[in-house]
Amino acid sequence: MSHELVIKRAQVVCPGSISNCDIGISAGRITTLGENLEGREIIDAEGLIAMPGGIDSHVHIAQPSGPGIEMADDFASATRAAACGGNTTVMPFCLPEEGQTLRAAVSEYMSNAEGRCLTDVSFHLIVKSADPVTLGQDLPALIAQGMTSFKVFMTYQGLRLTDAEILQVMDVARDQGALTMVHAENEDAIEFLRDKAERSGNTAPVYHARTRPVPVEREATHRATTLAEIAGVPLMIVHVSNGAALDEIRRARARGVRVLAETCPQYITLTADDLDRAGFEGAKWVCSPPPRDNCEQANIWAGIEGGAFDVFSSDHCPFRFADSSGKDAPGARASFRNIPNGIPGIETRLPILFSEGVVKGRISLGTFAALTATNHARIYGLENKGAIAVGKDADIVLWDPSRTSPITQERLHHGADYTPWEGFEVTGWPVRTILRGQTVMRDGAPLGQPTGLHVARGKPEAAP
């Protein structure tokens, strides 16, 4: 049997096994795993590791960010960076602008993405209103179209929902077979601390972190899991940053609540001290929840190593630093509360976890593949993604496990003008990204035309 493409002599990471074998690909799918396969095109991958293409299930692309504020990435630049970082699918959030219906917002996002993506995309929804149209019409219709997950916020004015509204949204999730994601921080507590800091003249970027301490995340995590228990639904707690919040998740699981957990690179590598740099420099690291300290990094690593986390995502939310429509927005130097909230990370997520996790012996290759691809596909209903297995999409990334190089802005492909990990030494880099059998990145450079598609999803594994 001849294949369109054969990847030879790689160390292949499959679900439940790792072996040296050939991968046969035809019509964009994996058709054979075996030895001595024949193909029209051959990739000699000796010395490399073949991983399932990364799935980043938490990214923000071209999202409304307030008057005069613009995200640094559109779908072209974000998916280009994603592919160069070893990803083949990204899952952006769709946020309606003020007065816009959820369905109208999805239509706009689809139009912005069409024909511009170097990776596949699949949208999550953001529910910022519990009005009858959203709950009774838009959500059921969009879930039926394959957007089977949505996020609610417990923080941010204009986005957060009350507990009663969250319960209503969870009720729709239960009835329609969707998964609820929660950003768990207590907005009232944060506002109390922000006001107090500003009255005391504490307005530097580091006070973004100091006014969002661990207890505001811990309390909201407890409340979110309790609401899910009351509603009788599973949920995903996104971007968990500390051990206390993770303990709340463990306690909920012990009560029988199905709680999934996500963490991100910033919580294993950065600290709040990064926000405490001279002048305005600390604004580069402003994100929510903020990075914590070395003790909390250890707590997050313990959770990763012990299997408490289901997925590892980037929470890519990019703004330019030296830009009045980015981090240096009007009023940002006067108060931390006016600094646009988020950091770029779509291209560096996988190399950081590979280097800090696999290379340093904290996690296995199989765990790495699960945390960065397989679990994302399984949890969110990406039925043809996330694994090197016969019948799956041929979304494959070849890794050079011995290549060592620092992260630098000059070699990245995102639209931001900085990286929070400038100079961070990484061992293990993706050297070839293959999307449905077509190479879209080789040796750090994007290749080919944007052929990424929007992927409708099936029912999430955890959905009722």
Side-chain angles (χ1 to χ4, degrees), residues 94-127:
C94 177
L95 173 64
E97 296 197 62
E98 192 64 32
Q100 187 180 39
T101 67
L102 195 50
R103 273 193 278 193
V106 167
S107 178
E108 184 175 332
Y109 272 71
M110 289 280 203
S111 176
N112 290 339
E114 187 175 6
R116 296 177 175 89
C117 297
L118 206 60
T119 69
D120 285 348
V121 298
S122 189
F123 288 115
H124 301 295
L125 309 172
I126 290 178
V127 181

Side-chain angles (χ1 to χ4, degrees), residues 136-258:
Q137 299 179 31
D138 287 2
L139 269 182
L142 292 168
I143 292 167
Q145 293 172 28
M147 281 157 269
T148 53
S149 52
F150 46 78
K151 182 179 180 183
V152 297
F153 288 84
M154 303 175 84
T155 185
Y156 304 135
Q157 295 296 339
L159 277 180
R160 69 161 174 167
L161 300 181
T162 66
D163 289 357
E165 290 170 331
I166 291 172
L167 285 169
Q168 292 176 55
V169 173
M170 287 179 170
D171 213 35
V172 175
R174 185 183 59 222
D175 291 345
Q176 301 296 326
L179 179 63
T180 304
M181 310 163 73
V182 177
H183 178 139
E185 289 184 291
N186 184 317
E187 177 66 15
D188 289 336
I190 293 166
E191 188 62 21
F192 168 79
L193 293 171
R194 279 194 297 232
D195 288 347
K196 189 173 181 179
E198 287 187 321
R199 286 196 301 271
S200 300
N202 297 321
T203 57
V206 69
Y207 286 95
H208 172 82
R210 293 177 183 172
T211 58
R212 303 181 93 99
V214 166
V216 306
E217 186 181 346
R218 182 197 66 215
E219 184 279 331
T221 302
H222 170 74
R223 187 155 38 97
T225 60
T226 301
L227 293 174
E229 187 176 9
I230 291 167
V233 296
L235 81 161
M236 171 72 78
I237 303 290
V238 298
H239 47 48
V240 176
S241 76
N242 64 83
L246 189 55
D247 284 342
E248 292 295 340
I249 291 169
R250 291 187 179 106
R251 279 190 279 270
R253 289 169 175 169
R255 298 195 305 271
V257 186
R258 180 71 189 277

Side-chain angles (χ1 to χ4, degrees), residues 306-451:
F309 286 104
D310 300 279
V311 293
F312 188 85
S313 306
S314 70
D315 194 8
H316 177 74
C317 187
F319 297 95
R320 294 181 61 82
F321 176 67
D323 193 331
S324 61
S325 64
K327 291 287 187 178
D328 202 6
R333 291 177 182 262
S335 175
F336 63 90
R337 73 160 68 227
N338 299 320
I339 300 171
N341 200 340
I343 59 175
I346 200 167
E347 192 168 353
T348 49
R349 169 186 75 120
L350 296 178
I352 288 171
L353 184 62
F354 190 96
S355 184
E356 294 296 298
V358 176
V359 173
K360 293 187 176 180
R362 290 175 166 127
I363 59 174
S364 67
L365 286 171
T367 298
F368 176 86
L371 286 170
T372 59
T374 309
N375 289 355
H376 299 253
R378 174 177 54 79
I379 288 167
Y380 290 112
L382 287 162
E383 297 165 353
N384 295 321
K385 304 288 187 183
I388 298 179
V390 172
K392 297 285 189 181
D393 285 355
D395 295 351
I396 299 167
V397 176
L398 300 179
W399 285 78
D400 181 345
S402 62
R403 179 180 170 184
T404 298
S405 178
I407 293 171
T408 61
Q409 168 65 16
E410 66 182 5
R411 64 174 290 180
L412 298 179
H413 300 82
H414 57 209
D417 57 356
Y418 78 99
T419 170
W421 288 278
E422 185 71 37
F424 189 91
E425 196 79 8
V426 165
T427 297
W429 286 89
V431 295
R432 191 162 186 153
T433 303
I434 299 167
L435 174 67
R436 285 179 275 104
Q438 300 297 314
T439 296
V440 294
M441 181 278 285
R442 186 173 184 179
D443 296 330
L447 293 178
Q449 297 302 308
T451 57

Side-chain angles (χ1 to χ4, degrees), residues 5-7 10-14 22-26 28-33 43 45 48-54 83 86-89 350 373 384-389 392-399 430-441:
L5 171 67
V6 173
I7 300 170
Q11 183 182 17
V12 181
V13 181
C14 298
D22 297 347
I23 305 170
I25 297 165
S26 292
R29 294 286 181 96
I30 298 168
T31 55
T32 314
L33 297 173
I43 296 174
L48 303 179
I49 300 169
M51 291 273 196
N87 299 282
T88 51
T89 303
L350 296 178
N384 295 321
K385 304 288 187 183
I388 298 179
K392 297 285 189 181
D393 285 355
D395 295 351
I396 299 167
V397 176
L398 300 179
W399 285 78
V431 295
R432 191 162 186 153
T433 303
I434 299 167
L435 174 67
R436 285 179 275 104
Q438 300 297 314
T439 296
V440 294
M441 181 278 285

